[in-house]
Amino acid sequence: MKFKLISAFLISAAIIFSIIYYIKEQKIQYMLNQKTKEFETLYSAVYNQYKEEAGIINELLVNNNFVTGVYQKLQNADEAEKSRLRKELYEYIKEDYDTLKLVSIRQLHFHLKNNDSFLRMHRPNKFGDNLTDVRPTIAYVNKTHKKIDGFEEGRIFNGFRFVFPISKNDTHLGSVEVSFSAVAIITKIATEFNKQSNLHIKKDIVDEKVFSYEKINYRNSPFEGYLIDIEVFKKLNKNFVHTDFMEETKIKALQSVKNFKNNTFYDMKVKKTLTILPIKNHLTNKTIAFISTLDNAKNITTMIQNYYSLFSMSILLLAVIFYFIYHQLKTKKELKEKLLEQKQIILKEQNKTKEKDRILFQQSKMASLADMLENIAHQWRQPLSAISTNASGMEAEFEFGVLKDENLKKGLQNIISSSEELSRTIDDFRNFFRPEKQKSFFFISSAINKTLQIIEPNFKSKSINIVKKIQDTQIQNYENELIQVLINILNNAKDALEKVETPKYIFIDIYNENDQLVIDIKDNANGIEENIISKVFEPYFTTKHKSQGTGIGLFMSEELVVKHMKGRICAKNVSYDYDGMQYHGALFTIKLPVNYLEEE
């Protein structure tokens, strides 16, 4: 008894721990989400401010007659002329550029329309290299003549780049880039919002794009596979870079970057929050960098401390409660016995449910038997008539003494042929009641043909036309069970069409859709009443008189499709045109997987 009581105490303690832990985690996650949203808003505000500044610089400094005039001359200039125009443009821009550098601008870079670098204001002696593969944004602007912006690594510098087309009189002449350094963005966040931030750039991109002699401007990030601009490191974030995060925090952060999801994490070791804001290249749609922000987490740390205090108090209270429970062990034993009795009742109910399902399947087969007998009768009628006619003819000739050997031989051959046809009919029908233990590969056209071979004579006798449109497909499933479902649905359509004047149609349309085989079966019997159409798959529900239907055909069809064949079945009313006439009827749709894979 004591062992059981101790076990119960430990389980209860675990439950209390789980509940308190869950509440604590939910509250912490809410706080982390708020920090994420706060930083998203902050970053967006800073980025949009620089975007607006870039637009102003472009309008005032670039979008004027002098610059566009230089670019017009460049279109047909030789190398000597280009050199002269480069110096002319540099002298024209230099004074304003020097002033802008004091504010925040990092680069003012002019490009030709073939994506060649024409003038780097920050490196005027470095020009002529083609930037098509290095700077997709420049290639984009020169191709589409539309502006674009975003973070991008270059040959020399990375930056938040704003690239504008240069044109005159609707003629595209080239492009210009106004970019701001990561230091400018990070500094603004740090000084105006008191946030300790950093920019981490994907190492693969730096290795691919940056001139080899410029790679000294980067150092390793604490996050594997990323680098930090050394200028940013020196100016702002030494403490942040050396923060000894838990390995789990780093893994979560990198996973968030990989999934391109803004997130904030609480690091138990340093007791601070780390916010991750991935940056994606708008053209390649790949993550190229991310901004991280470190912030204090006093409120979260306090909440965790309160959590431990609450848990300690809860355990103490639980111990007091179990002290009193100790004196009620006899009641607990009786309760356990009662619980065992209830479990036995549930088990019996489950067994009854299984037996009910078995009976329903048997009833479904028996309900199909009458239809099968009617179909057999229709298929036997012609060969039996032929046997009767030949036998009667031979008997009459024999009585009158005119029976010739060749007539006897011919009549007997006709009787044998008709008997063989009766035998084939029995072979076709016996497969219908043979249960399938294993799935098999079969073509859907084969299943349709077998189905129609069973029922079509009966349908023809009732003047029902079956119109097929089949996109033949091989599937793996239970063919006999599919045939049973098709027969059930087609027989329902046949019964409904008995009340309809000719022409009477059943349309079978089979096609593939998203790796699923779709079987549509519709008629022109004016549909199912809307107030009962949702009930047609319920057990024992039927629209026929009780003497004519059991109401389990469609129920068992749904059971076979859903539980056995892992598919779906539904019914609705539809209106459609055929052969110049408009019809209204019921549409049954079966969807089956083309490849039926067993669950492990």
Side-chain angles (χ1 to χ4, degrees):
M1 280 190 180
K2 287 184 180 180
F3 176 77
K4 291 181 180 179
L5 188 62
I6 292 171
S7 298
F9 172 80
L10 293 175
I11 292 171
S12 300
I15 292 172
I16 291 174
F17 173 83
S18 299
I19 293 172
I20 296 175
Y21 181 82
Y22 175 79
I23 294 172
K24 183 257 303 183
E25 287 298 308
Q26 289 294 308
K27 289 184 177 179
I28 289 177
Q29 191 58 52
Y30 174 78
M31 293 179 180
L32 295 177
N33 290 342
Q34 291 300 110
K35 280 187 176 290
T36 302
K37 291 178 182 178
E38 175 189 341
F39 188 62
E40 287 172 351
T41 303
L42 182 155
Y43 172 75
S44 179
V46 172
Y47 186 87
N48 287 333
Q49 180 180 338
Y50 280 103
K51 185 174 183 179
E52 186 176 346
E53 288 182 15
I56 294 172
I57 291 171
N58 178 60
E59 284 297 320
L60 296 179
L61 201 57
V62 179
N63 194 12
N64 57 59
N65 289 331
F66 180 84
V67 175
T68 55
V70 168
Y71 262 82
Q72 281 183 313
K73 295 174 184 176
L74 281 171
Q75 303 308 304
N76 299 309
D78 56 19
E79 290 304 317
E81 179 67 5
K82 286 181 181 179
S83 178
R84 186 189 67 77
L85 291 170
R86 185 179 297 107
K87 292 177 183 178
E88 188 176 323
L89 179 60
Y90 178 77
E91 292 299 327
Y92 176 79
I93 298 289
K94 186 178 185 307
E95 184 177 347
D96 290 324
Y97 174 71
D98 290 340
T99 303
L100 289 171
K101 281 200 302 183
L102 299 175
V103 182
S104 57
I105 191 171
R106 184 170 208 171
Q107 292 188 44
L108 188 60
H109 189 178
F110 293 87
H111 330 102
L112 301 179
K113 62 182 181 181
N114 66 349
N115 306 323
D116 281 353
S117 172
F118 177 65
L119 173 61
R120 290 179 171 94
M121 291 300 297
H122 56 290
R123 297 282 177 85
N125 295 325
K126 184 66 178 175
F127 56 85
D129 50 313
N130 188 271
L131 303 169
T132 302
D133 297 328
V134 181
R135 299 286 310 284
T137 51
I138 296 172
Y140 171 84
V141 172
N142 280 324
K143 182 178 180 180
T144 66
H145 310 163
K146 296 177 182 179
K147 64 182 179 181
I148 193 171
D149 60 88
F151 179 82
E152 192 174 40
E153 183 62 70
R155 290 289 197 188
I156 299 173
F157 292 132
N158 61 74
F160 292 84
R161 305 177 186 275
F162 303 85
V163 187
F164 302 90
I166 298 176
S167 62
K168 190 168 186 178
N169 298 327
D170 295 327
T171 300
H172 181 73
L173 303 172
S175 59
V176 63
E177 170 204 322
V178 180
S179 68
F180 300 93
S181 65
V183 173
I185 301 287
I186 300 302
T187 301
K188 199 169 190 67
I189 293 173
T191 55
E192 294 190 14
F193 301 97
N194 194 27
K195 299 289 184 182
Q196 197 175 27
S197 301
N198 212 322
L199 177 70
H200 308 260
I201 307 166
K202 206 165 186 179
K203 185 176 184 298
D204 293 347
I205 293 174
V206 174
D207 291 340
E208 177 188 354
K209 294 187 175 184
V210 177
F211 287 128
S212 58
Y213 54 84
E214 295 290 347
K215 291 180 181 178
I216 59 172
N217 295 321
Y218 297 86
R219 59 161 293 156
N220 288 331
S221 162
F223 298 94
E224 186 176 356
Y226 286 84
L227 300 175
I228 295 173
D229 189 318
I230 200 165
E231 188 179 357
V232 177
F233 168 73
K234 289 178 178 179
K235 188 158 187 178
L236 290 173
N237 297 288
K238 291 183 180 180
N239 293 332
F240 178 62
V241 170
H242 292 129
T243 299
D244 193 12
F245 294 116
M246 294 172 61
E247 196 62 31
E248 181 183 356
T249 305
K250 295 179 182 178
I251 293 172
K252 287 180 179 179
L254 289 176
Q255 188 62 42
S256 185
V257 173
K258 181 179 178 181
N259 296 333
F260 198 74
K261 184 177 181 181
N262 300 339
N263 248 326
T264 300
F265 307 96
Y266 176 73
D267 192 286
M268 295 285 292
K269 186 176 182 180
V270 299
K271 293 182 172 52
K272 290 186 177 183
T273 59
L274 174 68
T275 300
I276 299 297
L277 189 67
I279 299 174
K280 183 184 290 187
N281 185 300
H282 295 308
L283 297 178
T284 63
N285 209 31
K286 294 180 179 179
T287 302
I288 55 176
F290 68 92
I291 293 179
S292 57
T293 296
L294 198 64
D295 205 354
N296 72 72
K298 290 182 180 178
N299 51 351
I300 296 178
T301 304
T302 301
M303 180 183 293
I304 294 173
Q305 292 172 348
N306 293 339
Y307 154 75
Y308 286 120
S309 299
L310 179 60
F311 177 69
S312 300
M313 293 175 61
S314 299
I315 294 300
L316 180 61
L317 179 61
L318 187 66
V320 173
I321 292 172
F322 267 80
Y323 174 78
F324 290 102
I325 293 176
Y326 179 77
H327 298 283
Q328 305 296 325
L329 289 177
K330 289 183 180 180
T331 304
K332 179 182 176 182
K333 184 178 180 181
E334 293 174 359
L335 184 62
K336 183 178 179 181
E337 291 174 353
K338 188 174 181 180
L339 181 61
L340 182 60
E341 182 180 346
Q342 290 175 343
K343 287 183 178 179
Q344 291 174 344
I345 292 172
I346 292 172
L347 185 59
K348 288 180 181 178
E349 291 297 322
Q350 290 176 341
N351 290 334
K352 286 181 181 179
T353 300
K354 291 179 181 179
E355 179 64 17
K356 180 180 177 183
D357 288 344
R358 188 189 67 79
I359 292 172
L360 282 172
F361 271 101
Q362 187 62 30
Q363 287 179 337
S364 174
K365 288 290 186 181
M366 295 305 296
S368 301
L369 185 57
D371 288 333
M372 291 298 101
L373 291 174
E374 183 180 357
N375 289 324
I376 291 172
H378 274 277
Q379 294 218 28
W380 274 14
R381 184 171 290 119
Q382 184 176 349
L384 285 174
S385 176
I387 291 172
S388 176
T389 300
N390 280 278
S392 299
M394 288 188 295
E395 182 183 18
E397 290 180 5
F398 177 77
E399 289 179 354
F400 286 102
V402 295
L403 179 61
K404 297 180 180 180
D405 290 345
E406 59 267 24
N407 290 342
L408 175 62
K409 184 178 180 181
K410 182 178 180 182
L412 290 174
Q413 286 177 341
N414 288 338
I415 291 173
I416 291 170
S417 176
S418 298
S419 299
E420 289 175 348
E421 186 173 347
L422 294 175
S423 177
R424 283 196 302 273
T425 300
I426 289 300
D427 289 338
D428 290 339
F429 279 88
R430 70 180 180 179
N431 288 329
F432 174 72
F433 288 98
R434 180 181 296 164
E436 290 186 288
K437 301 299 183 183
Q438 293 183 341
K439 302 185 303 295
S440 63
F441 287 97
F442 61 93
F443 283 94
I444 188 62
S445 61
S446 172
I448 295 297
N449 291 336
K450 290 178 182 178
T451 303
L452 296 181
Q453 191 172 4
I454 293 172
I455 66 169
E456 198 163 26
N458 192 7
F459 281 50
K460 285 182 178 178
S461 70
K462 300 181 186 297
S463 300
I464 297 174
N465 300 300
I466 298 177
V467 181
K468 297 180 294 180
K469 182 182 178 183
I470 300 175
Q471 180 184 340
D472 203 8
T473 302
Q474 188 182 48
I475 67 172
Q476 184 186 22
N477 219 302
Y478 299 99
E479 183 178 15
N480 281 352
E481 296 193 351
L482 176 58
I483 292 173
Q484 182 179 351
V485 171
L486 294 172
I487 290 175
N488 284 341
I489 294 174
L490 290 168
N491 279 336
N492 267 24
K494 178 198 69 176
D495 295 340
L497 286 167
E498 288 182 0
K499 304 174 185 177
V500 177
E501 298 293 333
T502 56
K504 302 178 182 182
Y505 288 110
I506 294 176
F507 298 91
I508 302 175
D509 189 10
I510 302 176
Y511 53 93
N512 283 313
E513 183 181 82
N514 299 329
D515 291 330
Q516 286 199 320
L517 182 73
V518 183
I519 304 173
D520 285 340
I521 301 174
K522 63 186 176 185
D523 54 51
N524 66 328
N526 298 321
I528 305 169
E529 294 180 21
E530 291 295 339
N531 61 332
I532 64 172
I533 196 169
S534 61
K535 301 178 181 179
V536 295
F537 295 110
E538 294 180 3
Y540 301 112
F541 179 82
T542 179
T543 58
K544 307 173 188 176
H545 189 273
K546 289 183 179 179
S547 64
Q548 295 178 305
T550 62
I552 62 174
L554 290 179
F555 166 71
M556 292 315 302
S557 295
E558 184 183 45
E559 290 284 299
L560 290 172
V561 170
V562 176
K563 293 184 178 179
H564 291 217
M565 292 183 277
K566 303 303 179 187
R568 289 181 291 165
I569 184 171
C570 64
K572 65 179 181 179
N573 292 321
V574 293
S575 295
Y576 57 93
D577 293 327
Y578 177 73
D579 202 17
M581 298 290 291
Q582 186 171 36
Y583 298 106
H584 184 70
L587 168 64
F588 284 81
T589 299
I590 301 169
K591 292 186 178 182
L592 299 174
V594 173
N595 295 312
Y596 178 166
L597 301 177
E598 292 283 3
E599 294 181 358
E600 295 294 333

